Amino acid sequence: MKKTIIKSIQHYLIKYFSIAILIPTIILSIIGTKIIYNQVINRAETKTISDLNSAKEIYRNKISSIEAATRLTVLRGFIISSLIENKSDTLQKELQQTLLTEKLDFFTIVDSKGIVVCRGRNPLSKGDTLMNDKYIKRVLSNQLGREFHREDMK
């Protein structure tokens, strides 16, 4: 009988100590994992939002730089006189110089109908229309874009 009582007491002690240790351990593990997971997600979201805001600012600055380069190029005497006198060789040289100076990938001059007057990268390709391009449509329909029209320079 003593052996059964000792085994029974040992059994209960092991059982309850295991429960007393395992249940809080499991609960704390779940809570800790959840807290760490939430912190990682929050940090990732914050970093992503910060990176997106930085990218937007860089994009806006680049667009402003391109607009400024375009405005300055259009107002240059060589460009205006080349457009009025239809001197494509001078116009081409000026566009290529602007491409290099401003570090642009392409630079194209179009008339008020969206027809290409001159391309900086491909001088032989001109006379085609870019009216289907959403950016060209936007500039030509915008009153601020009026200063870029060749007809207004005459």
Side-chain angles (χ1 to χ4, degrees), residues 92 96 116-128:
Q92 183 63 38
Q96 287 177 342
V116 175
V117 175
C118 186
R119 294 183 196 272
R121 289 272 182 224
N122 190 359
L124 301 177
S125 176
K126 61 183 177 182
D128 56 320

Side-chain angles (χ1 to χ4, degrees), residues 34-75:
K34 184 121 175 116
I35 289 171
I36 291 170
Y37 177 78
N38 287 341
Q39 285 182 350
V40 168
I41 294 298
N42 287 339
R43 284 184 186 168
E45 285 176 351
T46 303
K47 175 110 173 77
T48 302
I49 289 170
S50 173
D51 289 349
L52 285 173
N53 288 336
S54 297
K56 284 179 190 175
E57 190 61 32
I58 290 168
Y59 176 77
R60 283 188 197 121
N61 287 339
K62 187 63 178 175
I63 292 295
S64 294
S65 169
I66 291 171
E67 285 176 353
T70 303
R71 289 183 195 282
L72 290 173
T73 301
V74 166
L75 296 176

Side-chain angles (χ1 to χ4, degrees), residues 3-56:
K3 248 185 173 186
T4 340
I5 293 174
I6 291 175
K7 277 188 175 180
S8 178
I9 291 174
Q10 281 179 339
H11 176 67
Y12 282 116
L13 285 173
I14 291 172
K15 179 180 173 183
Y16 289 117
F17 276 121
S18 296
I19 290 172
I21 291 172
L22 288 176
I23 290 179
T25 303
I26 291 171
I27 291 172
L28 289 175
S29 295
I30 292 171
I31 292 172
T33 303
K34 184 121 175 116
I35 289 171
I36 291 170
Y37 177 78
N38 287 341
Q39 285 182 350
V40 168
I41 294 298
N42 287 339
R43 284 184 186 168
E45 285 176 351
T46 303
K47 175 110 173 77
T48 302
I49 289 170
S50 173
D51 289 349
L52 285 173
N53 288 336
S54 297
K56 284 179 190 175

Side-chain angles (χ1 to χ4, degrees), residues 79-118:
I79 299 288
I80 294 171
S81 64
S82 297
L83 282 170
I84 292 171
E85 297 169 11
N86 226 0
K87 292 183 179 177
S88 59
D89 57 335
T90 308
L91 190 59
Q92 183 63 38
K93 287 177 188 174
E94 290 298 318
L95 284 182
Q96 287 177 342
Q97 182 62 35
T98 302
L99 281 171
L100 292 174
T101 305
E102 300 298 330
K103 298 176 184 160
L104 299 173
D105 293 328
F106 61 91
F107 197 33
T108 303
I109 296 178
V110 298
D111 64 12
S112 61
K113 296 174 183 94
I115 296 173
V116 175
V117 175
C118 186

